[in-house]
Amino acid sequence: SAVISQKPSRDICQRGTSLTIQCQVDSQVTMMFWYRQQPGQSLTLIATANQGSEATYESGFVIDKFPISRPNLTFSTLTVSNMSPEDSSIYLCSVHGTSGGGDTQYFGPGTRLTVL
Amino acid sequence: KQEVTQIPAALSVPEGENLVLNCSFTDSAIYNLQWFRQDPGKGLTSLLLIQSSQREQTSGRLNASLDKSSGRSTLYIAASQPGDSATYLCAVPYNAGNMLTFGGGTRLMVKP
């Protein structure tokens, strides 16, 4: 199993500012994933972060808005830039792992972002 | 493109009832299917993982089944309790990778 922590757990930010969310895993992993969950919605993948290379973004998400760093195999950051109220969401990081002989995903507790 | 749908979107039941949550997916070529629980404002907790070669998985009062040919999975909760109140999400991997496509979730409320 993998234990994932995120900082901050929540924040309230002003329009136009940026927030960097940290994700720490207790073991080395190749890929880390960042998801967004808008209010009342399900999760949508933002990007996949590999150590040593640029992140791969899903359709509708761009690096200028959501820059990602992956400096080592246990840590990643996601920045939400030039925020607007539409960015108010829960942001979750996750990693792939194995459990009971099968593949699974482990998720962090999430960062609840409110943009005023 | 894989699409995952969950029915019902919300469910309210009295304590003690047995209930079934439904998940359907459009592309049957899946590696596995996973059920998660999410408490309000919290992250996700994995409940059950069913490999594509399996028909069902059980954990305590939870039983998940998988029918790939029909593109369906069900999560059965026996003898529901107020502590079961949460949003239940199903998800499948896509693009032969480890990224997940999630259903919209079922918000469950179990009343004492």
Side-chain angles (χ1 to χ4, degrees):
Chain A
S1 66
V3 178
I4 304 173
S5 60
Q6 288 185 232
K7 291 181 181 180
S9 58
R10 60 176 59 217
D11 207 344
I12 300 174
C13 301
Q14 295 298 319
R15 181 196 300 260
T17 63
S18 298
L19 176 72
T20 295
I21 302 168
Q22 300 178 7
C23 178
Q24 180 77 52
V25 188
D26 68 343
S27 58
Q28 294 185 336
V29 293
T30 303
M31 290 189 288
M32 297 178 74
F33 307 97
W34 286 98
Y35 288 85
R36 180 177 74 180
Q37 185 177 31
Q38 294 176 299
Q41 304 296 315
S42 191
L43 281 75
T44 301
L45 181 67
I46 298 172
T48 303
N50 293 327
Q51 195 270 334
S53 63
E54 284 197 2
T56 302
Y57 290 82
E58 298 299 304
S59 176
F61 297 96
V62 295
I63 188 171
D64 290 345
K65 176 67 177 177
F66 298 101
I68 289 172
S69 77
R70 184 78 202 275
N72 58 54
L73 292 174
T74 64
F75 187 80
S76 178
T77 66
L78 170 75
T79 299
V80 186
S81 304
N82 188 25
M83 288 184 286
S84 66
E86 292 71 34
D87 294 320
S88 297
S89 299
I90 298 175
Y91 292 86
L92 301 104
C93 68
S94 77
V95 301
H96 169 259
T98 57
S99 176
D103 296 335
T104 188
Q105 291 271 340
Y106 299 100
F107 283 81
T111 296
R112 178 182 287 273
L113 170 62
T114 302
V115 184
L116 302 178
Chain B
K1 178 184 177 183
Q2 178 75 270
E3 294 183 1
V4 182
T5 305
Q6 291 186 244
I7 295 174
L11 183 62
S12 181
V13 300
E15 182 177 6
E17 274 203 8
N18 301 323
L19 52 98
V20 175
L21 309 182
N22 297 292
C23 172
S24 62
F25 45 94
T26 55
D27 185 349
S28 62
I30 60 171
Y31 295 96
N32 57 56
L33 184 143
Q34 199 161 356
W35 284 92
F36 292 90
R37 169 183 172 141
Q38 185 178 31
D39 292 285
K42 304 294 185 181
L44 276 68
T45 301
S46 179
L47 297 174
L48 289 165
L49 171 71
I50 310 176
Q51 299 296 336
S52 60
S53 59
Q54 297 175 323
R55 297 284 293 181
E56 65 178 42
Q57 281 284 339
T58 298
S59 176
R61 293 182 294 109
L62 304 180
N63 177 276
S65 67
L66 175 64
D67 185 343
K68 280 185 59 178
S69 61
S70 66
R72 293 179 182 177
S73 176
T74 61
L75 179 65
Y76 176 83
I77 303 177
S80 58
Q81 302 171 358
D84 295 330
S85 299
T87 296
Y88 292 80
L89 297 156
C90 68
V92 296
Y94 71 95
N95 289 348
N98 299 311
M99 304 82 79
L100 296 176
T101 297
F102 282 85
T106 295
R107 295 185 302 280
L108 173 64
M109 172 70 73
V110 181
K111 299 179 180 178

